[in-house]
């Protein structure tokens, strides 16, 4: 047989093997012919959308054989994502939080990333903070590569505090729930010293945000879901305390509803310059430096503090990773792996966190003098790491459970139920939704 014929047969065999899934593209150095994939995430702000597009553009410029397109999911993120993945479609790479990860693993939607990430020594999987890495593990396997994380902390407007002669919340040994309430009382009482007699100003803004309530629940020493993920925790008294406290800030008139302001969310409302203090995450910081923000030309007015404590110091820790669709072709899987390793690798993660949205999951970056010098607010917030509770639970029915709890808190803020009724309903819904669930 002629040499050309032999080569032709080999090419055909290789092509058939590729179509059948017989080629492990992540073991190749150059990969297949040009492949196009979609990357999806939610959009919490215009800044985050811009940063995602920038990361995609830089990756594409480095890879002539891969084309990534960012297509955000703008509503009902996880519901939409799960529906698409269940129909063997959906994006190749997508944002994944650790709270819903067990549900998506059980559905078979996520690719096990352990083989490719451990085999790539330059990726340095051990460089992640172990506590963060563990939140993306199921059955000792990794199903999302840590992208970033953020704790909740307090931002305050120094100009408002100065105008009203209210002390800054920086005495952390005494910065507890009582001190927070006292600070808000002083801000409320002295509003007349602000422009227009304080019209349109708020000491604080809050909303029906269950995640904020959970932070205060941990400060009160409580739990929401039990360790097996099958129902409400027997130690849920702190949840009742937290519901009463968070809602009480609004019902007492010390805090306004964020829905009454133009931005409609805590961080965006704070950026207007008419809110004295908010509980938010580091995703708010870039918004404060963006066009239209009150603080853009007066960054010295930005004050920041740890979360106030009750029986203990605590905050919530929101971890976000990048996951890969398990139902891709070999070529798409290879391309998706390259993108994830670029985005969450040592250089890619440094590039991403340089946007200022969230904290690095890699300890070498978080603890570097570069990060502390260039991102003092985010670095400060990250000092709460020893007291941070992960937004993750050992349950495969988290979405329905959290959604039910959120709806109950919405009813509470709408005046339809009392705090005690809200607590009872959340416990009942939690036990109903999680009965018989398992991560196995």
């Amino acid at each position: 047989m002629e040499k050309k014929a032999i080569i032709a047969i080999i090419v055909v065999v290789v092509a058939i093997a590729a179509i059948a899934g017989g080629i492990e593209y992540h073991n190749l150095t150059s990969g297949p012919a040009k492949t196009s994939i979609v990357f999806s995430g939610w959009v919490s702000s215009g800044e985050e959308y811009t940063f995602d597009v920038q990361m995609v553009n830089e990756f594409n410029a480095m890879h002539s054989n891969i084309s990534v397109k960012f297509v955000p999911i703008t509503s009902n993120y996880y519901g939409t994502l799960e529906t698409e993945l269940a129909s063997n479609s959906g994006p190749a790479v997508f944002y994944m939080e650790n709270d819903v990860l067990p549900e998506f693993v059980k559905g078979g939607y996520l690719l096990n990333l352990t083989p490719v990430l451990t085999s790539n020594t330059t990726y340095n999987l051990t460089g992640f903070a172990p506590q963060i890495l563990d939140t993306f593990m199921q059955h000792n396997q990794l199903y999302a590569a840590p992208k970033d994380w953020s704790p909740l902390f307090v931002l305050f407007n120094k100009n408002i505090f100065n105008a009203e002669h209210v002390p800054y919340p920086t005495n952390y040994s005494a910065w507890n729930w009582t001190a927070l309430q006292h600070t808000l009382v002083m801000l409320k009482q002295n509003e007349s010293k602000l422009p227009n007699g304080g019209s349109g100003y708020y000491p604080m803004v809050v909303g029906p945000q269950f995640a904020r309530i959970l932070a205060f629940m941990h400060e009160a020493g409580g739990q929401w879901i039990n360790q097996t993920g099958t129902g409400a925790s027997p130690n849920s008294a702190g949840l009742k305390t937290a519901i009463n406290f968070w809602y009480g800030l609004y019902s007492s008139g010390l805090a306004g509803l964020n829905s009454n302001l133009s931005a409609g969310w805590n961080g965006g409302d704070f950026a207007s310059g008419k809110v004295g203090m908010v509980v938010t995450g580091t995703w708010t910081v870039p918004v404060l430096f963006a066009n239209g923000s009150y603080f853009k030309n007066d960054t010295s007015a930005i004050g920041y503090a740890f979360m106030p404590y009750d029986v203990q110091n605590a905050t919530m820790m929101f971890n976000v990773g990048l996951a890969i669709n398990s139902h891709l072709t070999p070529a798409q899987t290879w391309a998706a792996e390259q993108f994830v390793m670029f985005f969450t690798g040592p250089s890619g993660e440094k590039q991403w966190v340089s946007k200022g949205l969230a904290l690095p999951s890699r300890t070498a970056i978080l603890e570097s003098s570069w990060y502390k010098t260039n991102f003092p607010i985010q670095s400060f917030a990250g000092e709460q790491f020893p007291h941070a509770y992960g937004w993750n639970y050992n349950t495969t029915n988290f979405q329905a459970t959290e959604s039910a709890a959120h709806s109950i808190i919405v009813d509470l803020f709408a005046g339809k139920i009392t705090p005690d009724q809200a607590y009872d309903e959340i416990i009942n819904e939690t036990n109903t939704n999680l009965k018989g669930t398992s991560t196995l």
Side-chain angles (χ1 to χ4, degrees):
M1 185 179 293
E2 292 185 3
K3 184 176 181 180
K4 289 183 179 181
I6 295 174
I7 293 174
I9 292 172
I10 292 174
V11 169
V12 171
V13 172
V14 170
I16 293 172
I19 294 172
I23 293 181
E24 297 285 343
Y25 277 122
H26 59 247
N27 291 328
L28 302 179
T29 57
S30 59
K34 187 164 185 176
T35 304
S36 298
I37 61 171
V38 170
F39 161 49
S40 289
W42 53 79
V43 179
S44 64
S45 67
E47 287 74 19
E48 184 165 4
Y49 176 85
T50 299
F51 298 157
D52 277 315
V53 171
Q54 287 177 358
M55 293 293 285
V56 166
N57 289 343
E58 292 184 30
F59 175 82
N60 287 338
M62 297 166 55
H63 297 79
S64 60
N65 58 343
I66 303 175
S67 176
V68 179
K69 182 179 180 181
F70 180 59
V71 181
I73 296 174
T74 57
S75 64
N76 188 22
Y77 179 80
Y78 286 113
T80 301
L81 179 63
E82 187 168 17
T83 298
E84 292 179 353
L85 296 177
S87 62
N88 292 330
S89 60
V93 180
F94 42 87
Y95 283 1
M96 176 58 55
E97 292 172 291
N98 42 40
D99 50 6
V100 299
L101 184 135
E103 180 177 335
F104 278 74
V105 171
K106 183 180 180 181
Y109 306 134
L110 307 186
L111 182 72
N112 178 8
L113 302 182
T114 305
V116 66
L117 297 187
T118 54
S119 63
N120 186 337
T121 56
T122 60
Y123 181 77
N124 187 20
L125 188 61
T126 60
F128 291 105
Q131 302 95 317
I132 295 176
L133 199 64
D134 287 348
T135 65
F136 294 111
M137 303 284 286
Q138 281 284 292
H139 316 301
N140 297 316
Q141 300 298 313
L142 185 69
Y143 286 92
K147 178 176 72 75
D148 55 33
W149 69 282
S150 176
L152 293 174
F153 70 119
V154 173
L155 284 170
F156 63 93
N157 187 326
K158 290 182 179 180
N159 287 344
I160 291 179
F161 275 68
N162 292 341
E164 298 192 34
H165 306 291
V166 176
Y168 297 161
T170 53
N171 182 6
Y172 302 123
S173 62
W175 181 232
N176 54 23
W177 289 12
T178 301
L180 170 63
Q181 289 173 311
H182 183 60
T183 297
L184 294 177
V185 167
M186 289 190 289
L187 289 171
K188 185 72 173 179
Q189 290 175 342
N190 297 332
E191 279 182 346
S192 60
K193 298 179 180 179
L194 297 172
N196 299 318
S199 176
Y201 285 80
Y202 296 86
M204 186 176 184
V205 289
V206 299
Q209 300 146 313
F210 190 55
R212 307 297 183 273
I213 290 173
L214 290 180
F216 287 95
M217 175 197 71
H218 287 301
E219 291 172 0
Q223 298 288 337
W224 170 32
I225 295 175
N226 62 31
Q227 292 183 347
T228 59
T230 55
S233 169
N235 180 28
S236 62
L239 175 59
K240 186 175 185 178
T241 302
I243 292 172
N244 277 283
F245 181 77
W246 185 250
Y247 177 70
L249 296 177
Y250 165 66
S251 62
S252 65
L254 295 178
L257 272 181
N258 51 29
S259 58
N260 290 337
L261 279 77
S262 58
W265 63 286
N266 292 8
D269 296 338
F270 182 74
S272 72
K274 292 192 173 184
V275 176
M277 184 166 50
V278 290
V279 172
T280 188
T282 54
W283 53 81
T284 292
V285 179
V287 179
L288 305 183
F289 295 90
N291 291 330
S293 172
Y294 167 88
F295 298 96
K296 180 175 174 59
N297 298 317
D298 190 10
T299 57
S300 64
I302 303 172
Y304 38 94
F306 292 155
M307 289 286 287
Y309 66 86
D310 186 41
V311 299
Q312 64 178 11
N313 290 300
T315 185
M316 290 299 293
M317 177 172 63
F318 303 95
N319 303 339
V320 180
L322 293 186
I324 295 179
N325 187 334
S326 62
H327 297 113
L328 303 176
T329 66
Q332 290 171 330
T333 298
W334 178 85
E337 290 170 345
Q338 305 314 302
F339 182 67
V340 167
M341 288 188 286
F342 158 79
F343 204 124
T344 64
S347 60
E349 181 157 315
K350 183 177 180 180
Q351 183 175 328
W352 171 254
V353 299
S354 69
K355 314 298 185 183
L357 278 170
L359 302 170
S361 299
R362 291 182 176 273
T363 54
I365 303 174
L366 180 64
E367 297 171 357
S368 68
S369 58
W370 167 83
Y371 191 76
K372 294 178 180 179
T373 300
N374 289 283
F375 303 95
I377 302 177
Q378 293 90 331
S379 181
F380 170 86
E383 292 178 17
Q384 297 177 104
F385 188 79
H387 310 298
Y389 286 79
W391 179 245
N392 58 293
Y393 304 91
N394 189 36
T395 174
T396 56
N397 197 25
F398 179 83
Q399 289 188 82
T401 308
E402 194 276 337
S403 179
H406 172 74
S407 296
I408 292 167
I409 298 301
V410 169
D411 286 345
L412 170 63
F413 273 79
K416 297 179 180 179
I417 56 177
T418 68
D420 286 351
Q421 288 173 325
Y423 167 76
D424 290 339
E425 289 185 19
I426 288 174
I427 295 301
N428 290 336
E429 285 288 342
T430 301
N431 285 328
T432 298
N433 285 318
L434 299 186
K435 184 178 180 180
T437 59
S438 170
T439 58
L440 298 178

